[in-house]
Structures are given as structure tokens and as C-alpha cells.
Amino acid sequence: MSKKLCYSILQVFALAILSCNGISGEYSLGNHLSLWDNEKKEEKVIVYCEGDCYGGIYVVPSYERHYDSSKQHYAEYIDEVTFDKKWVLAKTVQMTENKENYYIINKGFNIENLDCAKANCDSILQSHVIGPLSITEFKNKLQVLSIGLDFK
């Protein structure tokens, strides 16, 4: 094998490894929640994943809200996110209506030792998500729950 071919293969391999290790924009939000922030804004989602995050369970927006399979295009994506030890706040945009939705994620769950093939991990995660909410509902819920976070 020529040196040029070996070098080309090595470059492709290195780029693949770098892109899998979060270089394209994977940000930890705590408790195995990550913001996937890829090159396209409409691909931004919050997922649950353990270990190296090569795949995961959609949390906000849910997979059904994120991708409209009947129309074969993205429908809702994360616009802003903030978090602390207990909570994740997310603002999304529904693309067709250009509508903003707000979500509150309570990080007080533990599914680390569950077999998600047998247990419905998605339902457990979604039971800790409040939303979609309007801005008024969102602000009221923040007050009720005594959450001192807000978007910058």
C-alpha cells in the first residue's frame, strides 16, 4: 500500500474519531443528558446517553416532535438551553409555525441500571419533562417549582 493511500486512510479515520468524540458539538448537561449541537441548527436536541454518546434516547424534543417522518423533514429543535444541578430548561422552535415552546427537565431520575430493551426508559425520561409550554406557562411553572434559572 502506498504512503499516500495510508495517509488518506489515516486522515479519514482520525476525522471519524474526532467527530464521534463531541467535536461537532456534544455538551453535557449532567445526569447523562447531552445537548447535541451539530452543524445544522435544526438537528439540535437533548438526548439521554450513558458513556460515550454515539446514540441516545431523545428527551427534548421527543423524536416524534423533532422529526416529522410523514413529511421527511425536521420539525422542532433546541434554540436555547440552560441548566443547573437539578434542572434543564430548554427553548425550542417549531419550524413550520415558527413557534417557540419551553420545557423543564427534572434531572431527579436514575435509569443507569435498567435494561431499556425491557423497561420503557423513554417513558421514564418523559415523565420528568414538563412541556411543551408557552412562555407564560413556563414562567409560572418556574415560580411554582422555585427554579432560579433563566435564559441569558
Side-chain angles (χ1 to χ4, degrees):
M1 191 178 310
S2 75
K3 280 187 177 181
K4 189 175 183 179
L5 180 59
C6 285
Y7 182 70
S8 295
I9 292 170
L10 185 60
Q11 277 184 316
V12 169
F13 184 68
L15 286 173
I17 289 173
L18 288 175
S19 67
C20 289
N21 284 324
I23 299 301
S24 64
E26 176 192 324
Y27 303 96
S28 175
L29 304 173
N31 199 22
H32 302 289
L33 295 171
S34 291
L35 172 67
W36 281 353
D37 185 2
N38 295 317
E39 293 176 13
K40 296 179 184 177
K41 69 179 182 182
E42 54 272 350
E43 293 179 346
K44 287 174 71 170
V45 294
I46 296 173
V47 296
Y48 175 89
C49 55
E50 296 176 13
D52 293 329
C53 199
Y54 301 114
I57 301 170
Y58 280 68
V59 179
V60 172
S62 65
Y63 182 77
E64 295 75 23
R65 291 185 63 91
H66 175 64
Y67 190 76
D68 185 342
S69 56
S70 67
K71 296 180 183 174
Q72 300 293 308
H73 65 78
Y74 294 106
E76 187 174 9
Y77 65 90
I78 297 289
D79 186 47
E80 290 184 66
V81 69
T82 189
F83 65 99
D84 67 11
K85 187 177 174 182
K86 294 182 177 183
W87 306 98
V88 176
L89 307 182
K91 178 173 91 172
T92 65
V93 174
Q94 279 182 277
M95 296 171 66
T96 351
E97 297 115 23
N98 197 29
K99 178 184 174 190
E100 293 178 348
N101 292 312
Y102 296 85
Y103 294 84
I104 300 169
I105 304 169
N106 178 341
K107 295 194 306 187
F109 59 84
N110 182 354
I111 61 171
E112 283 184 54
N113 297 318
L114 289 180
D115 180 356
C116 289
K118 294 179 182 174
N120 192 342
C121 293
D122 183 56
S123 286
I124 295 168
L125 290 169
Q126 290 304 317
S127 72
H128 287 78
V129 175
I130 303 168
L133 303 168
S134 69
I135 186 65
T136 305
E137 294 168 322
F138 177 71
K139 288 185 177 196
N140 288 339
K141 201 60 149 167
L142 291 179
Q143 266 189 327
V144 168
L145 296 171
S146 301
I147 299 173
L149 284 171
D150 204 355
F151 300 106
K152 295 175 178 136

